């Protein structure tokens, strides 16, 4: 499974990328706003650090505006994927941009039927928002299972990108269900490599090593 970082923070991206585990990055307007930098500058920095898909979201709401905005974003770097919201206007924009060879990540997806439509218009990625469904008492991971099954039934090429991840169990469940990608906040990413038994075990090994006669 590919792991993306869900952030626009350059320090976080640099840190996780140095571990060798970051396959791509997703941003959204809220994440970019937190950084207080121009969007283009953020995208330029990210594409220099990570050699993989970097999602950049359009902020237009009409297809006729999303399409030129998406083209402009896609021209910035070969790894830019254009993020488009899951609306009927977004479907139209995705169909057009995909037909031009521009990779589209359909975002704000909350049902498997929305995901079916995303595949039909040629989206490269579909982003179901799991945590936000959990927040509303609906088990988000259930729609991941549905989408993975539906896509496999019809051999759709659209990759399932599990988004709105809140904790490591979401990542584990996404992997168990065969999702293609999970996009993860840095706060969750930094929990994945750690285990208290690893720390205790290493501590004991190093202490015991002191008792081994040297030369
Ligand atoms: C996906 O690409 C989004 O940026 C993100 O996962 C949204 O997550 P949130 O619900 O934590 O804002």
């Amino acid at each position: 499974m590919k792991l993306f970082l869900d952030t626009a923070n350059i320090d976080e991206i640099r840190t996780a990328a140095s571990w060798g585990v970051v396959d791509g990055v997703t941003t959204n307007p809220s994440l970019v706003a937190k950084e207080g930098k121009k969007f283009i500058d953020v995208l330029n920095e990210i594409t220099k650090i990570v050699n993989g898909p970097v999602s950049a979201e359009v902020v237009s709401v009409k297809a006729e505006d999303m399409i030129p905005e998406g083209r402009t974003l896609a021209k910035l770097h070969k790894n830019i994927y254009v993020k488009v919201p899951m609306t009927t206007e977004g479907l139209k924009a995705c169909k057009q941009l995909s037909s031009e060879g521009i990779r589209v990540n359909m975002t704000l997806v909350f049902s498997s039927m929305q995901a079916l439509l995303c595949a039909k218009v040629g989206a490269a990625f579909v982003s179901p928002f799991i945590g936000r469904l959990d927040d509303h008492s609906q088990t988000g991971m259930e729609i991941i299972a549905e989408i993975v099954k539906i896509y496999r039934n019809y051999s759709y090429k659209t990759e399932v990108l599990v988004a709105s991840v809140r904790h490591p169990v979401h990542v584990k469940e996404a992997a168990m269900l065969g999702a293609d990608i999970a996009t993860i906040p840095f706060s969750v990413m930094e929990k994945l490599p750690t285990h208290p038994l690893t720390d205790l075990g290493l501590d004991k090994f190093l202490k015991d090593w002191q008792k081994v006669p040297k030369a």
Side-chain angles (χ1 to χ4, degrees):
M1 182 170 67
K2 285 170 273 190
L3 296 180
F4 289 2
L5 210 53
D6 194 27
T7 183
N9 183 281
I10 300 303
D11 291 338
E12 291 180 350
I13 294 168
R14 218 184 285 285
T15 301
S18 75
W19 306 336
V21 296
V22 178
D23 300 301
V25 174
T26 51
T27 67
N28 66 38
S30 307
L31 293 171
V32 174
K34 282 204 283 188
E35 300 307 311
K37 296 179 186 171
K38 280 168 62 185
F39 187 27
I40 286 188
D41 294 343
V42 171
L43 292 175
N44 281 335
E45 284 189 84
I46 297 174
T47 51
K48 278 188 198 128
I49 301 167
V50 175
N51 184 21
V54 175
S55 290
E57 189 158 343
V58 300
V59 288
S60 305
V61 290
K62 302 294 278 181
E64 68 205 52
D65 302 319
M66 289 176 181
I67 293 165
E69 192 185 346
R71 287 182 187 133
T72 303
L73 289 170
K75 275 194 200 118
L76 289 176
H77 192 277
K78 65 178 171 56
N79 288 341
I80 297 282
Y81 281 53
V82 177
K83 231 174 168 186
V84 170
M86 173 54 228
T87 58
T88 50
E89 291 298 304
L91 289 173
K92 285 192 259 181
C94 179
K95 177 112 185 162
Q96 178 57 36
L97 291 168
S98 301
S99 77
E100 297 173 19
I102 293 172
R103 283 82 45 98
V104 175
N105 174 359
M106 290 296 286
T107 190
L108 290 168
V109 168
F110 292 93
S111 79
S112 51
M113 287 303 94
Q114 289 179 318
L116 175 63
L117 300 184
C118 295
K120 290 184 71 66
V121 292
F125 297 154
V126 66
S127 290
F129 277 35
I130 297 318
R132 293 193 196 184
L133 281 170
D134 288 354
D135 291 344
H136 286 269
S137 312
Q138 184 183 339
T139 307
M141 213 46 76
E142 284 174 5
I143 72 159
I144 299 301
E146 291 172 6
I147 297 167
V148 168
K149 172 99 173 82
I150 290 166
Y151 281 12
R152 291 207 177 131
N153 283 349
Y154 298 99
S155 303
Y156 285 125
K157 299 276 186 292
T158 306
E159 291 185 74
V160 181
L161 192 169
V162 178
S164 189
V165 164
R166 299 272 197 262
H167 48 70
V169 176
H170 275 157
V171 184
K172 181 180 82 171
E173 289 173 344
M176 299 284 290
L177 289 170
D180 301 283
I181 309 158
T183 190
I184 308 173
F186 183 77
S187 58
V188 175
M189 185 72 93
E190 67 181 350
K191 286 181 184 150
L192 298 183
T194 67
H195 195 289
L197 290 178
T198 304
D199 297 342
L200 280 172
L202 180 59
D203 194 47
K204 181 162 181 354
F205 284 159
L206 294 177
K207 280 200 178 107
D208 288 345
W209 187 247
Q210 299 304 318
K211 299 173 202 156
V212 176
K214 310 288 182 317

